[in-house]
Amino acid sequence: MFVLLFIPSLASATSLFQDPSREDLNALLNSYDKKDLACTPGCSADGDRKNYIVSILALSDKKNNFGISKDCDKSVRNLKGMWREGINDAGYDLARMYYYGVCVNVDLTKTRQLLLTSANNGYVPAQKLLGKSYWREETLGKLYSEDNEKAAFWLSKSAASGDAESAAMISAFYRKGIYFEKDPVKSFYWINKAFDSKYGSGLGAYTLDLADFYENGYGTEKDLILSYKFYDLSGTAGIEGKNRISKDMTEGEIQEAIKQSHAWQEEHNTFVPSYYGLEHQSDGSYR
């Protein structure tokens, strides 16, 4: 077996950035200035995260704010070294590089092995990508034939690990009877989990779905106050829903729903731009 596919043990494997949306990585990147990343791929003295970020930036022809030029040889060599040391992020990126032919020749066999190993190591982005690649909503369409059982298996793992989109997909599986038997209660459980998930959840994410579940009593008790709350949290996209269900609500119920919506926004310091009476502030919030 060649060196690239050295498989780190589950005990030694580590993950730097588990968020599939890469919001955590981008947030860290935005906190750096040019001197923070004055390094070439392989400068481990600056720590695994900086070393990894520099290696990723050095894969691209695009200009960046850090003065890092494209260097395929050093970047690929460094990512392979990080993978041998058990860094799941490096194996995941190498898998995608072999799929798209970025700084390496296309090799789908290597893509499959790297992706599967990092997913088995508990790396959420790899689990999610595997699930989507087995489903009809696949991302890497050349890797696998459609297989709803395997899609459900991997998406269930990434959903349980906190990925909101994966949880929403599992909810849809239960609602539509894809692989699982139709189960309204489990469908509601997973869409509710999607809204509160660690990665990719929050305001505007899956609020319309929750509003619909509560409006129709699908998998949960019918509750127009909660339905109105989630339509309200959907901003302009929820106006039609609010207008529809308000006909069956008292003014007191509507005000209670608005109160709950406002309380959620205050608690999470995230505001719907169209929310009643709120104005955009210099810090990006609405008050």
Side-chain angles (χ1 to χ4, degrees):
M1 184 175 293
F2 41 89
V3 174
L4 170 65
L5 296 183
F6 171 87
I7 300 176
S9 68
L10 290 173
S12 64
T14 59
S15 300
L16 305 177
F17 302 100
Q18 281 279 32
D19 184 356
S21 71
R22 287 304 197 235
E23 289 182 7
D24 52 354
L25 187 154
N26 290 329
L28 181 61
L29 190 59
N30 289 334
S31 72
Y32 290 151
D33 57 31
K34 190 171 182 177
K35 69 179 187 319
D36 291 320
L37 295 180
C39 178
T40 59
C43 53
S44 57
D46 282 334
D48 287 334
R49 287 193 168 199
K50 285 188 179 180
N51 191 12
Y52 169 74
I53 288 173
V54 171
S55 297
I56 296 304
L57 290 175
L59 291 170
S60 177
D61 291 314
K62 295 181 180 178
K63 291 184 179 180
N64 55 71
N65 297 326
F66 305 101
I68 298 173
S69 301
K70 184 173 182 178
D71 192 329
C72 283
D73 290 340
K74 286 185 178 180
S75 188
V76 172
R77 184 166 61 250
N78 189 51
L79 287 171
K80 289 180 180 180
M82 295 185 78
W83 174 239
R84 288 194 297 273
E85 293 171 3
I87 305 298
N88 288 319
D89 311 58
Y92 172 77
D93 280 287
L94 283 166
R96 299 179 76 237
M97 288 160 62
Y98 278 109
Y99 183 86
Y100 292 109
V102 176
C103 287
V104 292
N105 294 325
V106 172
D107 191 325
L108 299 187
T109 298
K110 291 179 182 178
T111 293
R112 294 186 187 98
Q113 188 161 359
L114 287 160
L115 195 60
L116 181 61
T117 302
S118 54
N120 279 324
N121 285 347
Y123 192 55
V124 180
Q127 293 172 342
K128 177 179 179 178
L129 188 56
L130 267 179
K132 293 182 74 174
S133 295
Y134 276 115
W135 195 26
R136 60 183 175 82
E137 302 286 347
E138 91 296 310
T139 301
L140 304 186
K142 299 177 184 177
L143 278 186
Y144 305 104
S145 300
E146 182 179 332
D147 189 325
N148 288 335
E149 179 180 4
K150 291 181 179 178
F153 175 81
W154 287 111
L155 289 173
S156 292
K157 282 186 173 294
S158 53
S161 295
D163 180 63
E165 185 183 8
S166 299
M169 290 179 184
I170 294 300
S171 174
F173 277 28
Y174 277 112
R175 189 163 191 171
K176 299 176 182 179
I178 299 173
Y179 179 64
F180 304 114
E181 291 186 10
K182 288 185 179 181
D183 190 322
V185 174
K186 289 182 179 178
S187 183
F188 172 75
Y189 168 83
W190 283 107
I191 199 62
N192 196 51
K193 188 173 178 63
F195 180 73
D196 289 322
S197 285
K198 185 176 182 180
Y199 308 120
S201 63
L203 189 62
Y206 317 112
T207 49
L208 282 174
D209 297 292
L210 275 170
D212 177 69
F213 276 69
Y214 280 117
E215 178 182 356
N216 295 290
Y218 187 82
T220 186
E221 291 186 10
K222 183 175 182 177
D223 190 325
L224 294 186
I225 291 176
L226 285 175
S227 180
Y228 195 104
K229 167 190 171 181
F230 284 109
Y231 278 130
D232 194 54
L233 288 174
S234 302
T236 55
I239 292 176
E240 181 179 344
K242 288 193 294 185
N243 290 339
R244 181 175 60 252
I245 67 174
S246 63
K247 299 173 184 178
D248 297 319
M249 300 173 69
T250 66
E251 183 59 30
E253 289 173 331
I254 292 174
Q255 291 306 313
E256 174 59 26
I258 293 172
K259 179 181 177 182
Q260 291 184 21
S261 173
H262 198 180
W264 188 95
Q265 294 174 66
E266 291 283 359
E267 179 184 353
H268 295 84
N269 194 33
T270 307
F271 297 90
V272 178
S274 61
Y275 196 78
Y276 306 93
L278 297 178
E279 296 181 355
H280 187 265
Q281 305 296 313
S282 58
D283 63 0
S285 66
Y286 289 80
R287 295 194 295 273

